């Protein structure tokens, strides 16, 4: 009887032989519940397995709530991905304490059509925020130490938390429903534009004045020097001409013999 070949028993492949890695149970749970509350790096990655790119989209587009808080793994690319996929049922996006988030842009107004709550508080490296949305009602940007510019075009915005942002220098808000605004601790504001007809109560520190160079009202110095030297040259030419005429009149040579 020929000897049995090793490894033939059971006929099953062991892990690490090139097959698809096992799925994380949290992926299917997120699809079922509509909530993702783990780190962004725990999502399926197409670099790990080719079909996981589609699986990643399936997980994110099924979300009604995304909570990725107090992590260093979340970066601008994740926010851009969520906005691009624009989950149709997403109503809450909580990214508090993301210490490597620098820019957040939600635009155009049709992106994430049911998003109502956005929390970017305590993102100390966050520098720029642009939100253009017809559905957003609440935005929290409390204690964003590096935040310098905020543009909010949200007609139905009713709640804005934007205090203790010491580097903020430019703020523009368009809202038909915002009734109160507290900018306590935002002492570097230079540009403030509020298109908020319902705004009744506001705590706004004095705007910071920056001295700007003003263009002189007088002509440039080069032009002034040109005019001055031109006038001197004309005066010198007139003087020479008068001197020449005086010499001709005093000449002892009869006019009929003068060469000119």
């Amino acid at each position: 009887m020929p000897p049995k070949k090793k490894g033939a028993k059971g006929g099953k492949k062991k892990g690490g032989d090139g097959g698809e890695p096992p799925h994380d149970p949290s992926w299917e749970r997120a699809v079922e519940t509509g909530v993702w509350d783990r780190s962004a790096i725990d999502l399926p990655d197409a670099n790990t397995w080719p079909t996981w790119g589609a699986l990643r989209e399936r997980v994110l587009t099924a979300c009604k709530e995304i909570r990725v808080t107090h992590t260093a793994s979340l970066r601008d690319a994740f926010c851009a991905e969520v906005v691009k996929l624009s989950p149709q049922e997403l109503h809450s996006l909580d990214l508090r304490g993301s210490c490597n988030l620098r820019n957040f842009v939600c635009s155009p107004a049709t992106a994430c059509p049911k998003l109502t709550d956005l929390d970017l508080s305590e993102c100390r490296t966050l520098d720029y925020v642009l939100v253009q949305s017809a559905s957003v009602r609440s935005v929290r940007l409390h204690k964003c130490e590096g935040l310098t510019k905020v543009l909010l075009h949200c007609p139905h915005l009713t709640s804005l938390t934007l205090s203790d942002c010491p580097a903020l220098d430019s703020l523009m808000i368009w809202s038909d429903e915002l009734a109160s605004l507290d900018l306590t601790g935002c002492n570097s504001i230079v540009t403030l534009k509020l298109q908020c007809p319902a705004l009744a109560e506001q705590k706004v520190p004095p705007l910071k004045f920056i001295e700007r160079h003003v263009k002189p009202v007088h002509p440039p110095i080069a032009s002034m020097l040109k005019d001055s030297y031109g006038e001197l040259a004309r005066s010198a030419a007139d003087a020479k001409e008068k001197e020449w005429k005086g010499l001709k009149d005093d000449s002892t040579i009869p006019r009929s013999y003068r060469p000119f």
Side-chain angles (χ1 to χ4, degrees):
M1 180 181 292
K4 294 182 180 180
K5 295 182 179 180
K6 293 182 179 181
K9 186 177 180 180
K12 292 184 180 180
K13 296 181 179 179
K14 295 182 179 180
D17 58 0
E20 182 179 359
H23 289 195
D24 190 316
S26 64
W27 301 346
E28 192 60 35
R29 185 167 62 248
V31 173
E32 293 174 356
T33 62
V35 178
W36 179 261
D37 56 3
R38 300 185 63 186
S39 172
I41 60 176
D42 292 327
L43 285 162
D45 189 346
N47 293 320
T48 303
W49 191 256
T51 60
W52 283 12
L55 180 57
R56 182 186 181 97
E57 289 190 14
R58 179 169 174 257
V59 172
L60 288 176
T61 53
C63 287
K64 298 178 182 179
E65 297 181 36
I66 295 178
R67 297 194 295 266
V68 184
T69 63
H70 301 94
T71 176
S73 64
L74 189 141
R75 299 177 184 272
D76 298 359
F78 176 75
C79 301
E81 181 183 15
V82 171
V83 172
K84 183 179 180 180
L85 291 174
S86 191
Q88 296 300 296
E89 299 300 322
L90 181 66
H91 62 79
S92 177
L93 182 58
D94 186 354
L95 307 177
R96 281 174 297 150
S98 300
C99 60
N100 281 317
L101 183 63
R102 299 186 181 278
N103 298 290
F104 181 87
V105 176
C106 183
S107 181
T110 53
C112 303
K114 292 188 178 180
L115 182 64
T116 58
D117 298 296
L118 174 64
D119 195 344
L120 299 172
S121 299
E122 301 174 18
C123 296
R124 63 174 183 269
T125 59
L126 186 63
D127 175 68
Y128 175 82
V129 173
L130 167 62
V131 180
Q132 185 181 13
S133 172
S135 60
V136 168
R137 301 187 68 84
S138 173
V139 175
R140 287 178 287 277
L141 292 165
H142 179 60
K143 289 186 177 180
C144 294
E145 299 171 5
L147 187 62
T148 62
K149 190 169 186 177
V150 176
L151 292 88
L152 302 176
H153 189 182
C154 307
H156 300 295
L157 182 69
T158 58
S159 175
L160 174 61
T161 304
L162 188 60
S163 57
D164 297 322
C165 298
L168 182 65
D169 62 30
S170 181
L171 174 62
M172 303 181 189
I173 306 173
W174 292 266
S175 171
D176 295 332
E177 299 183 20
L178 186 65
S180 63
L181 178 64
D182 186 356
L183 298 178
T184 302
C186 303
N187 299 317
S188 299
I189 298 178
V190 177
T191 303
L192 179 63
K193 295 184 179 180
L194 304 175
Q195 299 294 329
C196 308
L199 192 62
E201 181 182 353
Q202 54 180 313
K203 295 180 181 179
V204 180
L207 299 186
K208 186 175 181 180
F209 175 74
I210 295 181
E211 186 176 354
R212 302 182 185 277
H213 294 290
V214 180
K215 292 183 178 180
V217 295
H218 56 75
I221 294 178
S223 177
M224 296 172 66
L225 290 175
K226 182 180 178 181
D227 294 342
S228 178
Y229 281 113
E231 184 64 31
L232 289 174
R234 284 192 294 272
S235 299
D238 292 343
K240 283 185 176 294
E241 186 176 356
K242 289 180 179 179
E243 182 182 356
W244 174 249
K245 286 182 178 180
L247 289 175
K248 287 196 298 182
D249 292 339
D250 296 339
S251 177
T252 57
I253 303 174
R255 288 183 178 274
S256 58
Y257 296 104
R258 294 179 187 178
F260 48 82

